[in-house]
Amino acid sequence: MKIVICDDNREDLLKIKELLLKYREQHPRPDFELETYSDAVLLYRKLQEKARADIYILDMMMDGKTGIDLGLEVRKSCSDSEIIYITLSDDFALDAYGVRAGRYLLKPVKEKDFLEALDHAFSCIRAREDAFFLVKTKDGLESAAYSQIEYVESSSRALTVHLADGRHIRSIFIRKSFEDEVRSLVNDNSFMQVHKSFVIHMKYVWKLGQRSIVMKSGRAVPVSKSRMADVKREYLSYALERYG
């Protein structure tokens, strides 16, 4: 779990950092790492390089780039990240709504309001982690927790969802394209389509091969030759953000 703070006022930046450390003492699980920026342009460049974090705490008015500029860039690569804005004025509240900010707090930030905003952000993240992928089978609808899906494959116009515990769920005949069927997974930053018939959960990757990916279960998933460079780049970016 990573939290990024960006505020070009050093005093405000330190105050937010102190509140976050206090929150971590009160809530040791889940643990998180902090990354701070006093230069909005530097963070903007990091975001353009597809750097990812789970929660962004952004000042609204900064030199070089505004909080809205950063928020829009966050949404390009981190669609599920939580954004908390902190500002001296409520003039930009409507703009914050446009980037789906979770909270909009006025300076000086009240501790109670800030801790509540963090509670809300973490609850949203947990809700996504507990999301379920629904599969139509011959016995009816079955659900697979996103966190337990190792990979999904398509063959003979049916889906097979392979789970981390070795089980699998087989769908009935699908009428939509594979891309449409797995769109909700691919929209999650932890999943990636590596082949026209395969989507993987990146946290279960063991190693990258020349034309395949070996999952932690030992199963090899093929990678399209045309996608290999992008797959390696996206996975390395994911691994760098997740494991540091």
Side-chain angles (χ1 to χ4, degrees):
M1 181 81 66
K2 178 183 285 188
I3 298 178
V4 166
I5 316 168
C6 186
D7 195 320
D8 59 0
N9 183 305
R10 292 276 185 175
E11 185 177 338
D12 291 339
L13 181 64
L14 289 174
K15 180 180 179 181
I16 295 303
K17 184 176 180 179
E18 288 173 3
L19 288 175
L20 276 165
L21 293 175
K22 183 174 183 179
Y23 184 89
R24 184 161 62 184
E25 289 177 1
Q26 298 173 352
H27 305 79
R29 289 182 178 276
D31 194 9
F32 53 82
E33 61 176 301
L34 295 178
E35 198 170 281
T36 62
Y37 293 85
S38 57
D39 184 343
V41 175
L42 178 58
L43 175 56
Y44 188 82
R45 289 172 182 161
K46 289 280 190 180
L47 290 168
Q48 288 183 313
E49 295 168 1
K50 307 303 181 185
R52 294 171 177 167
D54 299 282
I55 300 173
Y56 290 87
I57 301 170
L58 308 173
D59 186 22
M60 185 61 77
M61 296 303 298
M62 295 178 284
D63 291 334
K65 293 292 180 182
T66 68
I68 296 299
D69 293 330
L70 295 175
L72 290 172
E73 198 63 31
V74 165
R75 287 292 171 244
K76 289 181 182 179
S77 59
C78 317
S79 61
D80 290 334
S81 298
E82 291 298 313
I83 298 175
I84 299 172
Y85 280 121
I86 296 175
T87 181
L88 286 168
S89 169
D90 60 3
D91 292 342
F92 302 94
L94 187 59
D95 294 322
Y97 177 80
V99 294
R100 308 196 312 277
R103 289 291 185 272
Y104 189 93
L105 306 178
L106 293 177
K107 295 182 178 181
V109 176
K110 296 178 181 178
E111 180 176 331
K112 179 182 177 182
D113 293 340
F114 183 75
L115 298 183
E116 187 278 330
L118 283 179
D119 280 339
H120 176 264
F122 277 112
S123 68
C124 290
I125 291 170
R126 284 193 294 270
R128 283 193 292 275
E129 289 176 346
D130 294 337
F132 288 89
F133 183 64
L134 297 178
V135 185
K136 293 180 181 178
T137 74
K138 61 183 179 61
D139 297 317
L141 276 178
E142 289 194 41
S143 60
Y146 278 29
S147 60
Q148 295 303 307
I149 297 174
E150 186 178 64
Y151 68 95
V152 180
E153 68 173 307
S154 172
S155 62
S156 303
R157 298 293 295 173
L159 300 180
T160 302
V161 180
H162 296 266
L163 303 177
D165 62 7
R167 295 181 298 117
H168 66 269
I169 301 172
R170 178 79 172 175
S171 80
I172 58 175
F173 182 85
I174 59 174
R175 299 186 180 279
K176 294 189 293 184
S177 68
F178 180 61
E179 286 75 13
D180 285 340
E181 291 286 346
V182 297
R183 192 176 306 281
S184 62
L185 292 178
V186 175
N187 286 339
D188 185 291
N189 289 331
S190 296
F191 289 86
M192 172 172 54
Q193 185 167 0
V194 298
H195 184 278
K196 65 179 182 180
S197 302
F198 288 86
V199 167
I200 65 166
H201 195 312
M202 288 187 277
K203 80 172 184 178
Y204 291 113
V205 170
W206 181 44
K207 67 177 180 180
L208 301 178
Q210 290 300 315
R211 293 294 301 275
S212 66
I213 290 176
V214 180
M215 309 303 287
K216 289 183 178 178
S217 64
R219 290 173 285 204
V221 174
V223 178
S224 299
K225 184 177 180 180
S226 62
R227 302 188 189 197
M228 179 55 81
D230 289 337
V231 165
K232 287 183 176 179
R233 188 181 306 111
E234 187 170 344
Y235 176 70
L236 290 175
S237 176
Y238 168 86
L240 182 63
E241 291 300 318
R242 183 176 177 86
Y243 306 113

